[in-house]
Coordinates of all heavy atoms in Angstrom, one line a residue:
T493 N 104.7 91.0 81.4 CA 104.3 92.4 81.4 C 105.3 93.2 80.6 O 106.5 92.7 80.4 CB 104.1 92.9 82.8 OG1 105.4 93.0 83.4 CG2 103.2 92.1 83.6
S494 N 105.0 94.4 80.3 CA 105.9 95.3 79.6 C 107.1 95.6 80.5 O 108.2 95.7 80.1 CB 105.2 96.6 79.2 OG 104.2 96.3 78.2
D495 N 106.8 95.8 81.8 CA 107.9 96.1 82.8 C 108.9 94.9 82.8 O 110.1 95.1 82.9 CB 107.3 96.3 84.2 CG 106.6 97.7 84.3 OD1 106.9 98.5 83.4 OD2 105.9 97.9 85.2
D496 N 108.3 93.7 82.8 CA 109.2 92.5 82.8 C 110.1 92.5 81.5 O 111.3 92.2 81.6 CB 108.4 91.2 82.9 CG 107.7 91.0 84.2 OD1 108.1 91.7 85.2 OD2 106.7 90.3 84.2
R497 N 109.5 92.8 80.4 CA 110.3 92.8 79.1 C 111.3 93.9 79.2 O 112.5 93.7 78.7 CB 109.3 93.1 78.0 CG 108.3 91.9 77.8 CD 107.4 92.2 76.6 NE 106.3 91.2 76.7 CZ 105.0 91.5 76.8 NH1 104.6 92.8 77.0 NH2 104.1 90.6 76.8
D498 N 111.0 95.1 79.7 CA 112.0 96.1 79.9 C 113.1 95.7 80.8 O 114.3 96.0 80.5 CB 111.3 97.4 80.4 CG 110.7 98.3 79.4 OD1 111.0 98.0 78.2 OD2 110.0 99.2 79.7
R499 N 112.8 95.0 81.8 CA 113.9 94.6 82.7 C 114.8 93.6 82.0 O 116.1 93.7 82.2 CB 113.3 93.9 84.0 CG 112.9 94.9 85.1 CD 112.5 94.2 86.4 NE 111.3 93.5 86.3 CZ 110.1 94.0 86.6 NH1 110.0 95.3 86.9 NH2 109.0 93.3 86.5
V500 N 114.3 92.7 81.2 CA 115.2 91.8 80.4 C 116.0 92.6 79.5 O 117.3 92.4 79.4 CB 114.3 90.8 79.7 CG1 115.2 90.0 78.7 CG2 113.5 89.9 80.6
L501 N 115.4 93.5 78.7 CA 116.2 94.2 77.7 C 117.2 95.2 78.3 O 118.3 95.2 77.8 CB 115.2 95.0 76.8 CG 114.3 94.1 75.9 CD1 113.2 94.9 75.3 CD2 115.2 93.4 74.8
T502 N 116.8 95.9 79.3 CA 117.8 96.9 79.9 C 118.8 96.3 80.8 O 119.7 96.9 81.2 CB 117.0 98.0 80.6 OG1 116.2 97.4 81.7 CG2 116.1 98.8 79.7
S503 N 118.7 94.9 81.0 CA 119.8 94.3 81.7 C 121.0 94.1 80.8 O 122.1 93.8 81.3 CB 119.4 92.9 82.1 OG 119.2 92.0 81.0
L504 N 120.9 94.4 79.5 CA 122.0 94.3 78.5 C 122.8 95.6 78.5 O 122.2 96.7 78.5 CB 121.4 94.0 77.1 CG 120.7 92.7 76.9 CD1 120.0 92.7 75.6 CD2 121.7 91.5 77.0
P505 N 124.1 95.5 78.5 CA 124.9 96.8 78.4 C 124.6 97.5 77.2 O 124.5 97.0 76.1 CB 126.4 96.2 78.4 CG 126.3 94.9 79.0 CD 124.9 94.3 78.6
G506 N 124.4 98.8 77.3 CA 124.1 99.7 76.2 C 122.7 99.8 75.7 O 122.4 100.4 74.7
I507 N 121.8 99.1 76.4 CA 120.4 99.1 76.1 C 119.6 99.8 77.1 O 119.5 99.4 78.3 CB 119.8 97.6 75.9 CG1 120.7 96.9 74.9 CG2 118.4 97.7 75.5 CD1 120.8 97.5 73.5
G508 N 119.0 101.0 76.8 CA 118.3 101.8 77.7 C 116.8 101.7 77.4 O 116.3 100.9 76.6
A509 N 116.1 102.7 78.0 CA 114.6 102.7 77.9 C 114.2 102.9 76.5 O 113.2 102.3 76.1 CB 114.1 103.8 78.9
W510 N 114.8 103.8 75.8 CA 114.4 104.1 74.4 C 114.5 102.9 73.5 O 113.6 102.5 72.8 CB 115.2 105.2 73.8 CG 114.8 105.6 72.4 CD1 113.9 106.6 72.1 CD2 115.3 105.1 71.2 NE1 113.8 106.7 70.7 CE2 114.6 105.7 70.1 CE3 116.2 104.1 70.8 CZ2 114.8 105.4 68.8 CZ3 116.4 103.8 69.5 CH2 115.7 104.4 68.5
T511 N 115.6 102.2 73.6 CA 115.9 101.0 72.7 C 114.9 99.9 73.1 O 114.4 99.2 72.3 CB 117.3 100.5 72.9 OG1 118.2 101.6 72.6 CG2 117.6 99.4 71.9
A512 N 114.7 99.7 74.5 CA 113.7 98.7 74.9 C 112.3 99.0 74.4 O 111.6 98.0 73.9 CB 113.8 98.6 76.4
A513 N 111.9 100.2 74.4 CA 110.6 100.5 74.0 C 110.4 100.3 72.5 O 109.5 99.7 72.0 CB 110.2 102.0 74.3
E514 N 111.5 100.7 71.7 CA 111.4 100.5 70.3 C 111.4 99.0 69.9 O 110.7 98.6 69.0 CB 112.6 101.2 69.6 CG 112.5 102.7 69.6 CD 111.5 103.2 68.6 OE1 111.4 102.7 67.5 OE2 110.7 104.1 69.0
T515 N 112.1 98.2 70.7 CA 112.1 96.8 70.4 C 110.8 96.2 70.7 O 110.2 95.4 69.9 CB 113.2 96.1 71.4 OG1 114.5 96.6 71.1 CG2 113.2 94.6 71.1
R516 N 110.1 96.6 71.8 CA 108.8 96.1 72.1 C 107.8 96.6 71.0 O 106.9 95.8 70.7 CB 108.3 96.7 73.5 CG 109.0 96.0 74.6 CD 108.9 96.8 75.9 NE 107.6 97.4 76.1 CZ 107.4 98.5 76.8 NH1 108.4 99.2 77.3 NH2 106.2 99.0 77.0
I517 N 107.9 97.8 70.5 CA 107.0 98.2 69.5 C 107.1 97.4 68.2 O 106.1 96.9 67.6 CB 107.3 99.7 69.1 CG1 106.9 100.6 70.3 CG2 106.6 100.1 67.9 CD1 107.5 102.0 70.2
R518 N 108.3 97.1 67.8 CA 108.5 96.4 66.5 C 108.3 94.9 66.6 O 107.7 94.3 65.7 CB 109.9 96.7 66.0 CG 110.2 98.2 65.8 CD 111.6 98.5 65.5 NE 111.9 99.9 65.7 CZ 113.1 100.5 65.4 NH1 114.1 99.8 64.8 NH2 113.3 101.8 65.7
A519 N 108.8 94.3 67.7 CA 108.8 92.9 67.8 C 107.4 92.4 68.4 O 107.0 91.3 68.0 CB 109.9 92.3 68.7
L520 N 106.8 93.2 69.3 CA 105.7 92.7 70.0 C 104.4 93.5 69.8 O 103.4 93.2 70.4 CB 106.0 92.7 71.5 CG 107.3 91.9 71.9 CD1 107.6 92.1 73.3 CD2 107.0 90.4 71.6
G521 N 104.5 94.6 69.1 CA 103.3 95.5 68.8 C 102.7 96.0 70.1 O 101.5 96.1 70.3
D522 N 103.6 96.4 71.0 CA 103.2 96.9 72.4 C 102.4 98.1 72.2 O 102.9 99.2 71.8 CB 104.4 97.1 73.2 CG 104.1 97.3 74.7 OD1 103.0 98.0 75.0 OD2 104.8 96.8 75.6
P523 N 101.1 98.1 72.6 CA 100.2 99.3 72.5 C 100.5 100.4 73.4 O 100.0 101.5 73.3 CB 98.8 98.7 72.7 CG 99.0 97.6 73.6 CD 100.3 97.0 73.2
D524 N 101.3 100.2 74.5 CA 101.6 101.2 75.5 C 103.0 101.7 75.5 O 103.3 102.6 76.3 CB 101.2 100.6 76.9 CG 101.0 101.7 77.9 OD1 100.3 102.7 77.6 OD2 101.6 101.6 79.0
A525 N 103.8 101.2 74.6 CA 105.3 101.6 74.7 C 105.4 103.0 74.3 O 104.8 103.5 73.3 CB 106.1 100.7 73.7
V526 N 106.3 103.7 75.0 CA 106.6 105.1 74.7 C 108.1 105.2 74.7 O 108.8 104.9 75.7 CB 106.0 106.1 75.8 CG1 106.4 107.5 75.5 CG2 104.5 105.9 75.9
S527 N 108.6 105.7 73.6 CA 110.1 105.8 73.4 C 110.7 107.1 74.1 O 111.0 108.1 73.5 CB 110.4 105.8 71.9 OG 109.9 104.6 71.3
V528 N 110.8 107.0 75.4 CA 111.3 108.1 76.2 C 112.8 108.3 75.8 O 113.6 107.3 75.8 CB 111.2 107.8 77.7 CG1 111.9 108.8 78.5 CG2 109.7 107.7 78.1
G529 N 113.2 109.5 75.6 CA 114.6 109.8 75.3 C 114.7 110.1 73.8 O 115.8 110.4 73.3
D530 N 113.6 110.0 73.0 CA 113.7 110.3 71.6 C 114.0 111.8 71.4 O 113.5 112.6 72.1 CB 112.4 109.9 70.9 CG 112.4 109.9 69.4 OD1 112.2 111.0 68.8 OD2 112.7 108.9 68.8
Y531 N 114.7 112.1 70.3 CA 115.1 113.5 70.1 C 114.0 114.4 69.7 O 113.9 115.5 70.1 CB 116.2 113.5 68.9 CG 116.8 114.8 68.7 CD1 117.8 115.3 69.5 CD2 116.4 115.7 67.6 CE1 118.4 116.5 69.2 CE2 116.9 116.9 67.4 CZ 118.0 117.3 68.2 OH 118.5 118.6 68.0
H532 N 112.9 113.8 69.0 CA 111.8 114.6 68.5 C 110.5 114.3 69.2 O 109.6 115.1 69.2 CB 111.7 114.4 67.0 CG 112.8 114.8 66.2 ND1 113.2 116.1 66.0 CD2 113.7 114.1 65.5 CE1 114.2 116.2 65.2 NE2 114.6 115.0 64.9
L533 N 110.3 113.1 69.7 CA 109.0 112.6 70.0 C 108.3 113.5 71.1 O 107.1 113.8 70.9 CB 109.0 111.2 70.5 CG 107.7 110.5 70.8 CD1 106.8 110.5 69.5 CD2 107.9 109.1 71.3
A534 N 108.9 113.8 72.2 CA 108.3 114.6 73.2 C 107.8 116.0 72.6 O 106.7 116.4 72.9 CB 109.2 114.8 74.4
H535 N 108.7 116.6 71.8 CA 108.3 117.9 71.2 C 107.0 117.7 70.3 O 106.1 118.6 70.4 CB 109.4 118.4 70.4 CG 110.7 118.7 71.2 ND1 111.9 118.9 70.6 CD2 110.9 118.8 72.5 CE1 112.8 119.1 71.5 NE2 112.2 119.1 72.7
Q536 N 107.0 116.6 69.6 CA 105.9 116.4 68.6 C 104.6 116.1 69.4 O 103.6 116.7 69.0 CB 106.2 115.3 67.6 CG 105.3 115.2 66.5 CD 105.8 114.5 65.3 OE1 107.0 114.0 65.3 NE2 105.1 114.3 64.2
V537 N 104.7 115.3 70.4 CA 103.5 115.0 71.2 C 103.0 116.2 71.9 O 101.8 116.5 71.9 CB 103.8 113.9 72.2 CG1 102.6 113.7 73.2 CG2 104.0 112.5 71.5
G538 N 103.9 117.0 72.5 CA 103.5 118.2 73.2 C 102.9 119.2 72.3 O 101.8 119.8 72.6
Y539 N 103.5 119.4 71.1 CA 102.9 120.4 70.1 C 101.5 119.9 69.7 O 100.6 120.8 69.5 CB 103.8 120.6 69.0 CG 103.4 121.7 68.0 CD1 103.7 123.0 68.4 CD2 102.7 121.4 66.9 CE1 103.3 124.1 67.5 CE2 102.3 122.5 66.1 CZ 102.6 123.8 66.4 OH 102.1 124.8 65.6
A540 N 101.3 118.6 69.4 CA 100.1 118.1 68.9 C 99.0 118.3 70.0 O 97.8 118.6 69.6 CB 100.2 116.7 68.4
L541 N 99.3 118.1 71.2 CA 98.3 118.0 72.3 C 98.1 119.4 73.0 O 97.0 119.6 73.6 CB 98.6 116.9 73.3 CG 98.7 115.5 72.8 CD1 98.9 114.5 73.9 CD2 97.3 115.1 72.1
T542 N 99.1 120.2 72.9 CA 99.0 121.5 73.7 C 99.4 122.7 72.8 O 99.2 123.8 73.3 CB 99.9 121.5 74.9 OG1 101.3 121.5 74.6 CG2 99.6 120.3 75.8
G543 N 100.1 122.5 71.7 CA 100.6 123.6 70.9 C 101.9 124.1 71.4 O 102.4 125.1 70.8
S544 N 102.5 123.4 72.3 CA 103.9 123.8 72.9 C 104.7 122.6 73.1 O 104.2 121.5 73.3 CB 103.7 124.6 74.2 OG 102.9 125.7 74.0
R545 N 106.0 122.8 73.1 CA 107.0 121.7 73.3 C 106.8 121.3 74.8 O 106.5 122.1 75.7 CB 108.4 122.2 73.1 CG 108.8 122.3 71.7 CD 110.3 122.5 71.6 NE 110.8 122.4 70.2 CZ 112.1 122.2 69.9 NH1 113.0 122.2 70.8 NH2 112.4 122.2 68.6
V546 N 107.1 120.0 75.0 CA 107.3 119.5 76.4 C 108.5 118.6 76.4 O 109.0 118.2 75.4 CB 106.0 118.7 76.9 CG1 104.8 119.6 76.9 CG2 105.8 117.5 76.0
D547 N 108.9 118.3 77.6 CA 110.0 117.3 77.8 C 109.4 115.9 78.0 O 108.2 115.7 77.9 CB 110.9 117.7 78.9 CG 110.2 117.8 80.3 OD1 109.1 117.3 80.4 OD2 110.8 118.3 81.2
D548 N 110.3 114.9 78.2 CA 109.7 113.5 78.4 C 108.7 113.4 79.5 O 107.7 112.7 79.4 CB 110.9 112.6 78.6 CG 111.7 112.2 77.3 OD1 111.1 112.3 76.3 OD2 112.9 111.9 77.4
D549 N 109.0 114.1 80.6 CA 108.0 114.0 81.7 C 106.7 114.6 81.4 O 105.6 114.1 81.7 CB 108.6 114.7 83.0 CG 109.8 113.9 83.6 OD1 109.8 112.7 83.4 OD2 110.5 114.6 84.4
G550 N 106.8 115.7 80.6 CA 105.6 116.4 80.2 C 104.8 115.5 79.2 O 103.6 115.4 79.2
M551 N 105.5 114.8 78.3 CA 104.9 113.9 77.4 C 104.2 112.8 78.1 O 103.0 112.4 77.8 CB 105.9 113.3 76.4 CG 105.4 112.2 75.5 SD 106.6 111.6 74.3 CE 107.8 110.8 75.5
L552 N 104.8 112.2 79.1 CA 104.2 111.1 79.8 C 102.9 111.6 80.6 O 101.9 110.8 80.6 CB 105.2 110.5 80.8 CG 106.4 109.8 80.2 CD1 107.4 109.3 81.3 CD2 105.9 108.6 79.3
E553 N 103.0 112.8 81.1 CA 101.8 113.3 81.7 C 100.7 113.5 80.8 O 99.5 113.2 81.1 CB 102.2 114.6 82.4 CG 101.0 115.3 83.2 CD 101.4 116.5 83.9 OE1 102.6 116.9 84.0 OE2 100.5 117.2 84.5
L554 N 101.0 114.1 79.6 CA 100.0 114.3 78.6 C 99.3 113.0 78.1 O 98.1 112.9 77.8 CB 100.5 115.1 77.4 CG 100.9 116.5 77.6 CD1 101.6 117.1 76.4 CD2 99.6 117.3 77.9
L555 N 100.1 111.9 78.0 CA 99.6 110.7 77.5 C 98.9 109.8 78.6 O 98.3 108.8 78.3 CB 100.8 109.9 76.9 CG 101.4 110.4 75.6 CD1 102.6 109.6 75.2 CD2 100.4 110.4 74.5
S556 N 99.1 110.2 79.8 CA 98.6 109.4 80.9 C 97.1 109.1 80.9 O 96.7 108.0 81.3 CB 98.9 110.1 82.3 OG 98.3 111.3 82.4
P557 N 96.2 109.9 80.3 CA 94.8 109.5 80.2 C 94.6 108.3 79.3 O 93.5 107.6 79.5 CB 94.1 110.8 79.6 CG 95.0 111.9 79.9 CD 96.4 111.3 79.9
W558 N 95.5 108.0 78.5 CA 95.4 106.8 77.6 C 96.4 105.7 78.0 O 96.8 104.9 77.2 CB 95.6 107.2 76.2 CG 94.6 108.3 75.7 CD1 93.3 108.1 75.4 CD2 94.8 109.7 75.6 NE1 92.7 109.3 75.1 CE2 93.6 110.3 75.2 CE3 95.9 110.5 75.8 CZ2 93.5 111.6 75.0 CZ3 95.8 111.9 75.6 CH2 94.6 112.4 75.2
A559 N 96.6 105.6 79.3 CA 97.5 104.5 79.8 C 97.0 103.1 79.3 O 95.8 102.8 79.3 CB 97.6 104.5 81.3
G560 N 98.0 102.4 78.8 CA 97.6 101.1 78.2 C 97.6 101.2 76.7 O 97.7 100.2 76.0
H561 N 97.4 102.4 76.2 CA 97.3 102.6 74.7 C 98.1 103.9 74.3 O 97.7 104.5 73.3 CB 95.8 102.8 74.3 CG 95.0 101.6 74.6 ND1 95.0 100.5 73.7 CD2 94.2 101.2 75.6 CE1 94.2 99.5 74.3 NE2 93.7 100.0 75.4
R562 N 99.1 104.2 75.0 CA 99.9 105.4 74.7 C 100.6 105.3 73.3 O 100.6 106.3 72.6 CB 100.9 105.7 75.8 CG 100.3 106.0 77.1 CD 101.3 106.2 78.2 NE 102.0 105.0 78.5 CZ 103.0 104.9 79.3 NH1 103.4 106.0 80.0 NH2 103.7 103.7 79.5
Q563 N 101.0 104.1 72.9 CA 101.6 104.0 71.6 C 100.6 104.2 70.5 O 100.9 104.8 69.5 CB 102.3 102.6 71.4 CG 102.9 102.3 70.0 CD 103.9 103.3 69.6 OE1 104.2 103.5 68.4 NE2 104.7 103.9 70.6
R564 N 99.4 103.8 70.8 CA 98.3 104.0 69.8 C 98.0 105.5 69.6 O 97.9 105.9 68.4 CB 97.0 103.3 70.3 CG 96.0 102.9 69.3 CD 94.8 102.2 69.9 NE 95.2 101.0 70.7 CZ 95.5 99.8 70.2 NH1 95.5 99.7 68.9 NH2 95.8 98.8 71.0
V565 N 98.1 106.3 70.7 CA 97.9 107.7 70.5 C 99.0 108.3 69.8 O 98.9 109.2 69.0 CB 97.6 108.3 71.9 CG1 97.5 109.9 71.8 CG2 96.3 107.8 72.5
I566 N 100.2 107.9 70.1 CA 101.4 108.4 69.4 C 101.3 108.2 67.9 O 101.6 109.0 67.1 CB 102.7 107.8 70.0 CG1 103.0 108.3 71.4 CG2 103.9 108.0 69.1 CD1 104.1 107.6 72.2
R567 N 100.9 107.0 67.5 CA 100.7 106.7 66.1 C 99.7 107.6 65.5 O 100.0 108.1 64.3 CB 100.3 105.2 65.9 CG 101.3 104.2 66.3 CD 102.4 104.0 65.3 NE 103.2 102.9 65.7 CZ 103.0 101.6 65.4 NH1 102.0 101.3 64.6 NH2 103.9 100.7 65.8
L568 N 98.7 107.9 66.2 CA 97.7 108.9 65.6 C 98.3 110.3 65.4 O 98.0 110.9 64.5 CB 96.5 108.9 66.5 CG 95.6 107.6 66.6 CD1 94.5 107.8 67.6 CD2 95.0 107.3 65.2
I569 N 99.1 110.7 66.4 CA 99.8 112.0 66.3 C 100.7 112.0 65.1 O 100.7 113.0 64.3 CB 100.5 112.3 67.6 CG1 99.5 112.6 68.8 CG2 101.5 113.5 67.4 CD1 100.2 112.7 70.1
L570 N 101.5 110.9 64.9 CA 102.4 110.9 63.8 C 101.7 110.9 62.5 O 102.1 111.5 61.5 CB 103.3 109.7 63.9 CG 104.2 109.6 65.2 CD1 105.0 108.3 65.2 CD2 105.2 110.8 65.2
A571 N 100.5 110.2 62.4 CA 99.7 110.1 61.2 C 99.0 111.4 60.9 O 98.6 111.6 59.8 CB 98.8 108.9 61.3
S572 N 98.8 112.2 61.9 CA 98.0 113.4 61.7 C 98.7 114.5 60.9 O 98.1 115.4 60.3 CB 97.6 114.0 63.1 OG 98.8 114.6 63.7
G573 N 100.0 114.4 60.9 CA 100.8 115.4 60.2 C 101.0 116.7 61.0 O 101.7 117.6 60.5
V574 N 100.5 116.8 62.2 CA 100.7 117.9 63.0 C 102.1 118.0 63.5 O 102.6 117.0 64.1 CB 99.7 117.9 64.2 CG1 100.0 119.1 65.1 CG2 98.3 118.0 63.7
A575 N 102.8 119.0 63.2 CA 104.2 119.1 63.6 C 104.6 120.6 63.9 O 104.0 121.5 63.3 CB 105.1 118.6 62.5
E576 N 105.4 120.8 64.8 CA 105.9 122.1 65.2 C 106.7 122.7 64.0 O 107.5 122.0 63.4 CB 106.8 122.1 66.4 CG 107.3 123.4 66.9 CD 108.2 123.3 68.1 OE1 108.7 122.1 68.3 OE2 108.4 124.3 68.8
P577 N 106.4 124.0 63.6 CA 107.2 124.6 62.6 C 108.6 124.6 62.9 O 109.0 124.9 64.0 CB 106.6 126.0 62.5 CG 105.2 125.9 63.1 CD 105.4 124.9 64.2

Side-chain angles (χ1 to χ4, degrees):
T493 69
S494 294
D495 287 344
D496 291 338
R497 296 178 191 119
D498 272 349
R499 277 191 287 272
V500 173
L501 291 166
T502 57
S503 70
L504 297 167
I507 305 302
W510 183 90
T511 308
E514 288 291 314
T515 301
R516 286 160 44 207
I517 291 167
R518 303 172 198 186
L520 304 172
D522 191 321
D524 197 46
V526 181
S527 302
V528 173
D530 190 272
Y531 187 79
H532 298 288
L533 185 61
H535 297 164
Q536 192 160 358
V537 170
Y539 188 80
L541 298 182
T542 70
S544 302
R545 284 189 173 198
V546 297
D547 58 13
D548 282 333
D549 289 339
M551 173 178 66
L552 294 175
E553 182 178 352
L554 288 172
L555 293 173
S556 62
W558 299 284
H561 297 280
R562 294 177 297 177
Q563 177 59 207
R564 204 178 304 280
V565 175
I566 289 170
R567 294 284 185 88
L568 293 175
I569 290 171
L570 298 178
S572 73
V574 175
E576 182 182 16

